Amino acid sequence: MKAMAFAAATAALFVSACGTQGGNQAGGGAGASQAQITGAGSTFVYPVLSAWAADYQKQSGAKVNYQSIGSGGGISQVKAGTVDFGASDQPLSSEELAQSNLAQFPVVIGGIVAVTNLTGIAPGKLRLTGPLLADIFAGKVKTWNDPSIVRINPGVNLPSAAIAVVHRSDGSGTTFNFTHYLSQVSSTWKSGPGEGKTVAWPTGVGGKGNEGVAAYVKQLPNSIGYVEYAYVLQNGMNYASLQNAAGNFVLPNAETFSSAAETADWAKAQDFNLVMTNAAGANAYPLTATTFILMPKSPKDAAQSKAALDFFRFALDKGQDQAKKLDYVPLPQALVKQIEDYIARTIK
Amino acid sequence: MTPFVPIARSRSAAADRVFNLVTAGAAWLVLILLGATAASMAWGGRLAFETFGLGFITSTDWDAVGGKFGALVPIYGTIVTSIIALVIAVPVSLGIALFLTDIAPRWIRGPIGIAVELLAAIPSIIYGMWGLFVFAPFMARHVDPWLNDTLGPLPVIGGIFTGPPIGIGMLTAGIVLGIMVIPFIAAVARDVFNAVPPPLKESAVALGSTRWEVLSRVTLPYARSAVIGAIFLGLGRALGETMAVTFVLGNAHDLSISLLMPSNSIAAAIANEFTEADAELYRSALVALAFLLFVVTFIVLSAAKLLLLRINRAHGRTH
């Protein structure tokens, strides 16, 4: 898979070289409809981006070529100017954006779910708090019938079995969002493994990609892992409800993800530099995440950049139904408005 | 003396010289490529080597957030899984090769031979998927609990076979690797056994040897060095295998004596982590890992060569 990603990286370089050429020709008179927009980055956003690209090509004729090489790769490619846009699950700080003269905005929302393999417990019936989740992944809470789990799960028949922890083995934006959340709710996690796309996991086995974690959790009895929401639905997995910042236990679904996006304080976040985990709303799911698009503020090729922006305007206005179909959550209307203002203001 | 002979001789001498140069160039090209690859990996990993020194090889830390890296776990995992692979693959491969050359009825040799070669053509990702979805659950349900119950309580070696029955770990990875290298060893060994001169075997039979005596006293000793070469071809593949291993090894940076515990391998760590390694030191540590894989392979192959020389000297043979 990574070999593929590697090939994709080279392909992206090659394609983007062709893309820029195509763009030049388009600028030269062939018309913007011939444009080929190139992008690279997050694997999380790949399914919905490619669906948008197909719809957009039908409507406008412009091709979007997106290579899902990983957030880190997307950031370095857009910094190097080899692609028209990059996509990252981890927002860049305003300073880093200013340094590379980049603009940043979110495009779609998704959630990360604590999935379990527990027989006799219906999906969502198991309740976990943030600190408890951190203690489980730190290997401090070792069995399912640990008093700290039993206390918040009255009436749930918890097995007296060891907890098998499953995490990601590859660097991933999903891991970043997950560990960011754990760091927010647990000071021992923050001073221990901390947050990042890969961390030094104190315990457990590593699965490669969301599909690897999903496969391990399905195979290992009494295991717990974390995957993106779409994988929960596709694989019919068992999952836990989480206690949010307001103290309520919430299930992962489109409604609670939207609620998190609505209550997150976007207006104050400069360049949308905000990780949505642990949002304040009463019904907000605490492990809500988003993918950010990165674009140069003053692009070398204005026509290419405009074509890419047209694509994202289309995605934000008309693509959100498509996002729902693919188990992502559309951005709240107020946020879309903010993004459109931001784009008009910052990208030339 | 006719005047033609010296001319013809000098022409052939010139052609010979060109031919020598071309073949020598081809041979040197490999050496230069090898040297350049090793040098560029050492250069790419210099930041990690400078930062951690010898600690890079002896430390079990692997913390991308804290910027602390040590290669002991991946090195250990790589070597242990490869040893398990060879323990399984060598007897099976030699069995296949001997069966095909000396025992099997002629009509069955073709189909089995082709089946073995087809095994070699299966992409490693397929072995990985099979390992994850089919073989790991089998290990978890049947093999791991059995090992825990029977070998686990034994003193000394018990610890090697004790662990959570999750079906993912060094033993599973080693077995999958073993299956993967069988065709490589078996195919070469079969060709080598076929090259044993029939009169040798026939003489042994004429002297009243049993089939087993012919195999163990004539065929195997005659083909010894080539068979060891085949085994090390398989070992080389096992050391560097990436995709299949990463699916069933568990990818955890933990050092454990138990074969049932997850571990990591050099190739798997690089494949897993390279794309998102965004810090300079992190990337350098991964390239340094690649360099260490190179060193490990070199040491293992040199040891094999030495072993071979020893055996040959002991038996008074020169090739």
Side-chain angles (χ1 to χ4, degrees), chain B residues 159-182:
Chain B
I160 302 176
F161 299 103
T162 315
I166 53 179
I168 294 154
M170 290 190 278
L171 183 62
T172 308
I175 294 173
V176 171
L177 269 180
I179 297 169
M180 290 179 73
V181 301
I182 281 172

Side-chain angles (χ1 to χ4, degrees), chain B residues 176-203:
Chain B
V176 171
L177 269 180
I179 297 169
M180 290 179 73
V181 301
I182 281 172
F184 290 86
I185 303 179
V188 177
R190 183 194 55 184
D191 293 346
V192 174
F193 293 159
N194 268 333
V196 175
L200 278 183
K201 291 193 242 176
E202 284 156 12
S203 326

Side-chain angles (χ1 to χ4, degrees), chain A residues 1-2 5-6 69-73 169-172 193 195 197-200 204-206 208 215-216 219-220, chain B residues 62-65 132-133 136-137 166 168 243 246-248 250-252 254 262 271-276 278 282:
Chain A
M1 211 94 144
K2 283 294 149 168
F6 229 86
I69 57 175
S71 299
S169 63
D170 48 338
S172 153
E195 63 178 63
K197 287 177 199 158
T198 46
V199 298
V205 294
K208 200 165 152 40
Y216 279 4
Q219 283 173 21
L220 303 180
Chain B
W62 191 269
D63 178 3
V65 180
L132 176 59
F133 291 112
I166 53 179
I168 294 154
M243 284 325 293
T246 195
F247 272 81
V248 291
N251 306 303
D254 298 321
N272 269 316
E273 298 179 29
F274 200 79
T275 39
E276 292 290 347
D278 32 21
Y282 192 5

Side-chain angles (χ1 to χ4, degrees), chain B residues 8-96:
Chain B
R9 194 176 285 155
S10 81
R11 233 185 232 155
S12 77
D16 254 7
R17 220 172 300 131
V18 171
F19 183 69
N20 281 351
L21 277 177
V22 170
T23 51
W28 278 103
L29 181 70
V30 174
L31 274 185
I32 292 167
L33 276 178
L34 209 60
T37 313
S40 63
M41 284 191 291
W43 180 249
R46 72 190 185 284
L47 186 61
F49 288 126
E50 273 167 17
T51 314
F52 304 109
L54 207 61
F56 187 68
I57 302 170
T58 56
S59 161
T60 58
D61 279 338
W62 191 269
D63 178 3
V65 180
K68 287 197 287 286
F69 300 99
L72 188 60
V73 175
I75 293 175
Y76 175 75
T78 305
I79 293 176
V80 169
T81 50
S82 297
I83 290 173
I84 298 172
L86 282 194
V87 166
I88 292 162
V90 169
V92 175
S93 310
L94 294 187
I96 292 172

